[in-house]
Amino acid sequence: MDDVTPFLVLSAILFSIGCVGVLTRRNAIVVFMCVELMLNASNLALVAFAKHHGNLEGQVAAFFVMVVAAAEVVVGLAIIMTIFRSRRSASVDDASLLKY
Amino acid sequence: MTLSSSTLLTSAAEGGHHSVPVVEAMSPDGVFSLLWLVIALPLAGAVVLLVGGRLTDRWGHWLGTATVTGSFVLSVVMFVQLLGRDDAERQIGQHLWDWFAVGDFQVGMDLLYDPLSALFLLLITGVSALIHLYSVGYMEHDPRRRRFFGYLNLFVAAMLMLVLAADYVGVFLGWEGVGLASYLLIGFWQHKPSAAAAAKKAFVINRVGDIGMSLAIMLMFVTFGTTAFAGVSAAAGDATESTMTAIGLLLLLGACGKSAQVPLQAWLLDAMEGPTPVSALIHAATMVTAGVYLVTRSNFVFENAPVAQTAVVVVACVTLLWGAVIGCAKDDIKKVLAGSTMSQIGYMMLAAGLGPAGYAFAIFHLVTHGFFKANMFLGAGSVMHGTGDDVNMRHYGALRKAMPVTFLTFAMGYLAIIGFPGFSGFWSKDKIIEAAVAENYLVGAAALLGAGVTAFYMTRLMLMTFFTKERWEPEVHPHESPKVMTVPLVVLAALSVLGGVLLLGDWVTTWLTPVVGEVEHHELPVPVIVLTGIVVVVVALGVGLAVLLVGRREVPREAPQDVSFVTRAARSDLYGDAINDGLVVRPGGVLVRGLVATDARGVDGVVEGGAGLVGALSSVLRRTQNGYVRTYALSVLGGAVILVLAMVAVTW
């Protein structure tokens, strides 16, 4: 049983940074990168727990997250590109037409 | 109901102190198997005339008259057959088909022909046939005459159903049919708003009575499990007195509606808006007598419910004076006759309320009244026909020269109704007063007073119409009516005179014994001949008073307005409408308006307020959808945090 606390602390720090970034930044690319940061923070936590428990389930879950993240990146970047083309802006606050 | 072929006519004495005849009919044979045809003929006439439409316009009125005449002929044949039978074999039942069956409750389409319905059959079909004949002339210039005859036939069919049914449900069928037909006939001149309103009024007030009738039938079903006369009459003695009283009072309510007895009397006077033959039909021979028929037929109920019997007597006394007082002040010839009908029906109800001492006399008076009242209504119609449809007696005067046949026939009816010795009304009314005096002095006094007032207003009507000075407009030329109208008048006048022969040798009471039981003779305080003398004197006083007050004075063409309170009250039907208005209509209106307000403000308010509240809340919540991605992200984060906290809280 290795002590995985530092990994978990790092994971928490990374997740928090990503979280704050998503909530505060306006540039869509940066928000997107922050989302990736959060995903990878959770990947880190999963791998750490896998190590802690001595089985592979956490690693498998981490692979799943990566695959999903890759797919999401494809779609997300495509959306950001389209919005940028039509609006000449990558600010997430500008794209706020869908509201009350 | 199953009709047993047994001919026993037993008396059930258990429970009640009177012996009440039980209805137990034997199966029909010979001419009696055609009993159903009596109803079917006029019904078929009505269907042909109402469905056939304009195709039947040319001969429709004759078809209508023929069907009723056919029923009359059949009634006479059956009556003669019935005369030839023994007392015990005079109840004939015909089972047509099973009407409906619910569990143990079975109602068959059964007819009952017994001495009571035999008399009614003769009266209804006979008088109706004459009225149909008269209507051929009276309605000659009406473009809707064919439809009028269709309605008349429907009316007769319903009335025959009413008196022939052997089951209260069957009676109810006729009862409602009569109500419908009277609505159609009273409102026949529907282009007149007053006629339409009168028809509606008659219908609505009758509905009040019908509620009583239907509740009585339901109560019978609950109590006895059957509504057939046979079953109810056999079991009537076993039920508790309070149940019988309730049934009796409810039946009385029904009778009050149809027979225009106080407090449901208000429709009768307005019903004069219909054509005059209708007035004669409804108010002489048929509809208003239904209540008397019901009470007499239900003798097995009333004999076991003394309280209900007393109620019948009280209602009858009030009505007989009420109608008579109204008759004194009216100037409309038909309304005087309507008031007198109310009053005379009151006499019949009075007799029916006296129990076995009076049932037979109630029916006797009903028959004689059917003759002389039909005679006078048709006479009034003839007068109106001759004076250009004027109904105001103040515009008549001295018509006896212009219309001798109408005058003479009317005079026969007049002498009969006031009870001139020898005429039919004398015999029948005298018997009722006798029975009333024997029962109770107060009731007797009311009946006696009623006889005097009747003499007064009828004499006033005679004088104002046929005697005194001519008061008609110069352009009115009174003339005698055609033969088709005067012939029925002559026949009815003859019957008015001779109706009293029914009493010869106590025939009518013996005849009705199987239905209503033996006549009980009470001791009179004075010899019968003295009482008869008193009645005649009271009648003579009434006539004399009328001669003094009306005959010896100038009758003004316009009704004087500076009259006593009593006259004013009588002119407005003793405030019958005002009482209904104040007691029922206006409180009902207030109640309905209150309910509408409660519905609009209360119920609708809660529903609409709730919807408004949700809407307002939504428009506040809506603001949270502001379109900024980070807001949504924050709410997702918040949700995740809450989820994590919840999991932590649970695991710890």
Side-chain angles (χ1 to χ4, degrees):
Chain A
M1 288 299 154
D2 300 301
D3 183 21
V4 292
T5 312
F7 298 99
L8 290 182
V9 171
L10 178 63
S11 165
I13 291 170
L14 286 178
F15 190 89
S16 304
I17 291 171
C19 208
V20 171
V22 169
L23 292 178
T24 54
R25 299 305 294 262
R26 293 210 168 90
N27 191 319
I29 302 287
V30 178
V31 171
F32 205 65
M33 289 189 336
C34 290
V35 171
E36 292 302 313
L37 202 58
M38 288 160 77
L39 285 168
N40 282 312
S42 56
N43 275 352
L44 183 58
L46 286 169
V47 174
F49 278 122
K51 173 88 175 156
H52 176 73
H53 288 300
N55 60 22
L56 290 176
E57 283 164 12
Q59 297 188 24
V60 172
F63 276 116
F64 266 112
V65 172
M66 279 181 213
V67 173
V68 172
E72 174 242 323
V73 166
V74 173
V75 177
L77 278 179
I79 292 172
I80 293 171
M81 283 295 291
T82 321
I83 291 177
F84 183 76
R85 273 194 194 154
S86 60
R87 297 177 170 262
R88 299 271 121 211
S89 152
S91 166
V92 285
D93 284 5
D94 283 352
S96 66
L97 282 178
L98 190 65
K99 60 181 175 184
Y100 53 84
Chain B
M1 157 180 164
T2 48
L3 293 166
S4 101
S5 58
S6 124
T7 59
L8 264 177
L9 193 79
T10 49
S11 293
E14 68 266 28
H17 52 288
H18 294 292
S19 59
V20 180
V22 173
V23 177
E24 194 161 21
M26 53 188 300
S27 51
D29 49 357
V31 70
F32 296 115
S33 56
L34 293 176
L35 188 54
W36 59 277
L37 210 55
V38 176
I39 303 174
L41 272 176
L43 191 64
V47 170
V48 168
L49 290 182
L50 294 178
V51 175
R54 299 233 172 95
L55 288 176
T56 57
D57 264 352
R58 276 181 45 230
W59 42 268
H61 46 283
W62 290 117
L63 175 75
T65 314
T67 56
V68 177
T69 312
S71 287
F72 176 62
V73 171
L74 213 53
S75 304
V76 171
V77 173
M78 286 195 294
F79 179 70
V80 172
Q81 288 275 323
L82 200 65
L83 272 177
R85 288 185 171 215
D86 291 338
D87 257 11
E89 293 176 357
R90 280 188 183 156
Q91 290 188 329
I92 292 126
Q94 186 172 31
H95 178 73
L96 298 181
W97 68 83
D98 288 328
W99 193 0
F100 55 80
V102 185
D104 294 335
F105 179 49
Q106 292 193 333
V107 175
M109 190 50 99
D110 293 311
L111 305 181
L112 173 69
Y113 187 72
D114 67 358
L116 180 62
S117 22
L119 274 186
F120 264 92
L121 238 53
L122 283 182
L123 176 72
I124 293 168
T125 54
V127 173
S128 297
L130 289 172
I131 290 172
H132 275 73
L133 184 63
Y134 175 94
S135 304
V136 171
Y138 190 84
M139 302 296 280
E140 198 176 357
H141 306 297
D142 198 304
R144 293 159 71 233
R145 175 166 68 168
R146 184 251 328 152
R147 186 181 306 203
F148 181 75
F149 274 82
Y151 293 160
L152 279 188
N153 266 354
L154 180 67
F155 187 95
V156 174
M159 192 67 202
L160 291 171
M161 180 69 218
L162 201 165
V163 298
L164 276 179
D167 191 298
Y168 278 101
V169 179
V171 173
F172 195 66
L173 175 69
W175 196 264
E176 294 299 300
V178 168
L180 165 70
S182 72
Y183 169 79
L184 294 170
L185 286 169
I186 294 169
F188 185 72
W189 287 323
Q190 62 215 179
H191 53 85
K192 285 197 298 182
S194 58
K200 226 169 11 185
K201 186 173 177 181
F203 200 70
V204 169
I205 294 184
N206 266 299
R207 209 90 341 235
V208 178
D210 294 347
I211 291 171
M213 173 87 178
S214 46
L215 285 180
I217 295 172
M218 292 173 205
L219 196 53
M220 275 180 219
F221 164 58
V222 170
T223 315
F224 305 114
T226 175
T227 53
F229 292 152
V232 176
S233 64
D238 303 334
T240 59
E241 190 175 316
S242 51
T243 310
M244 297 315 281
T245 305
I247 294 177
L249 288 177
L250 287 169
L251 286 176
L252 173 64
L253 180 64
C256 279
K258 273 285 175 286
S259 286
Q261 301 291 293
V262 175
L264 301 178
Q265 84 292 1
W267 65 273
L268 187 70
L269 288 142
D270 287 7
M272 294 299 135
E273 286 294 338
T276 308
V278 173
S279 308
L281 191 61
I282 295 181
H283 307 125
T286 54
M287 181 167 165
V288 293
T289 60
V292 182
Y293 170 79
L294 186 70
V295 174
T296 310
R297 174 60 86 197
S298 310
N299 59 76
F300 40 79
V301 172
F302 285 94
E303 282 312 304
N304 290 302
V307 178
Q309 267 187 328
T310 313
V312 174
V313 172
V314 170
V315 164
C317 282
V318 171
T319 309
L320 87 85
L321 292 176
W322 189 292
V325 171
I326 291 175
C328 291
K330 289 284 176 186
D331 290 329
D332 180 330
I333 186 168
K334 283 175 72 180
K335 294 213 165 165
V336 176
L337 291 174
S340 111
T341 301
M342 260 174 77
S343 172
Q344 300 300 314
I345 303 281
Y347 272 106
M348 297 168 209
M349 288 295 257
L350 171 60
L354 294 177
Y359 288 130
F361 302 129
I363 301 305
F364 181 34
H365 193 54
L366 193 153
V367 172
T368 58
H369 174 259
F371 294 148
F372 60 69
K373 189 49 70 64
N375 174 19
M376 284 193 289
F377 262 120
L378 297 184
S382 172
V383 168
M384 287 160 59
H385 198 74
T387 54
D389 279 334
D390 197 343
V391 291
N392 193 338
M393 296 192 298
R394 293 188 185 276
H395 299 173
Y396 297 160
L399 287 175
R400 68 179 184 284
K401 289 173 210 135
M403 317 175 84
V405 181
T406 304
F407 164 66
L408 281 174
T409 54
F410 202 102
M412 296 305 124
Y414 159 74
L415 291 172
I417 193 175
I418 67 168
F420 192 81
F423 286 76
S424 62
F426 167 76
W427 302 109
S428 54
K429 201 188 284 181
D430 199 50
K431 281 289 172 195
I432 292 177
I433 294 174
E434 246 174 60
V437 169
E439 179 82 13
N440 182 316
Y441 288 129
L442 208 60
V443 175
L448 199 58
L449 182 64
V453 181
T454 305
F456 173 78
Y457 68 72
M458 285 315 296
T459 311
R460 173 172 173 271
L461 184 151
M462 267 319 259
L463 291 173
M464 284 174 86
T465 306
F466 294 107
F467 294 88
T468 62
K469 289 213 182 73
E470 302 171 3
R471 294 184 299 278
W472 59 71
E473 300 280 356
E475 65 266 26
V476 172
H477 301 290
H479 55 84
E480 189 56 87
S481 301
K483 274 273 185 312
V484 72
M485 287 167 72
T486 52
V487 168
L489 282 178
V490 172
V491 175
L492 284 168
L495 288 168
S496 306
V497 178
L498 300 172
V501 298
L502 283 180
L503 195 65
L504 268 185
D506 280 338
W507 179 83
V508 73
T509 52
T510 323
W511 175 250
L512 287 172
T513 300
V515 185
V516 298
E518 289 283 343
V519 175
E520 291 172 4
H521 283 289
H522 294 286
E523 282 303 306
L524 278 175
V526 291
V528 173
I529 187 77
V530 175
L531 188 63
T532 307
I534 295 174
V535 174
V536 171
V537 168
V538 170
V539 167
L541 279 177
V543 173
L545 202 62
V547 171
L548 278 181
L549 290 179
V550 182
R552 290 289 166 81
R553 295 189 194 170
E554 195 76 10
V555 178
R557 255 190 74 90
E558 296 303 324
Q561 294 305 316
D562 53 335
V563 290
S564 69
F565 168 74
V566 182
T567 315
R568 266 204 304 277
R571 271 186 196 161
S572 46
D573 309 343
L574 291 181
Y575 303 117
D577 289 340
I579 292 169
N580 286 350
D581 243 27
L583 280 184
V584 180
V585 178
R586 241 173 287 144
V590 169
L591 182 70
V592 168
R593 269 192 294 277
L595 285 176
V596 168
T598 314
D599 183 51
R601 305 217 185 105
V603 178
D604 287 7
V606 168
V607 171
E608 282 169 10
L613 198 69
V614 169
L617 200 65
S618 304
S619 60
V620 172
L621 287 176
R622 198 173 60 141
R623 296 274 150 196
T624 58
Q625 302 284 320
N626 59 8
Y628 293 120
V629 174
R630 49 196 156 83
T631 319
Y632 302 142
L634 186 63
S635 58
V636 171
L637 182 66
V641 168
I642 291 172
L643 215 63
V644 169
L645 286 181
M647 282 166 76
V648 170
V650 169
T651 45
W652 260 329

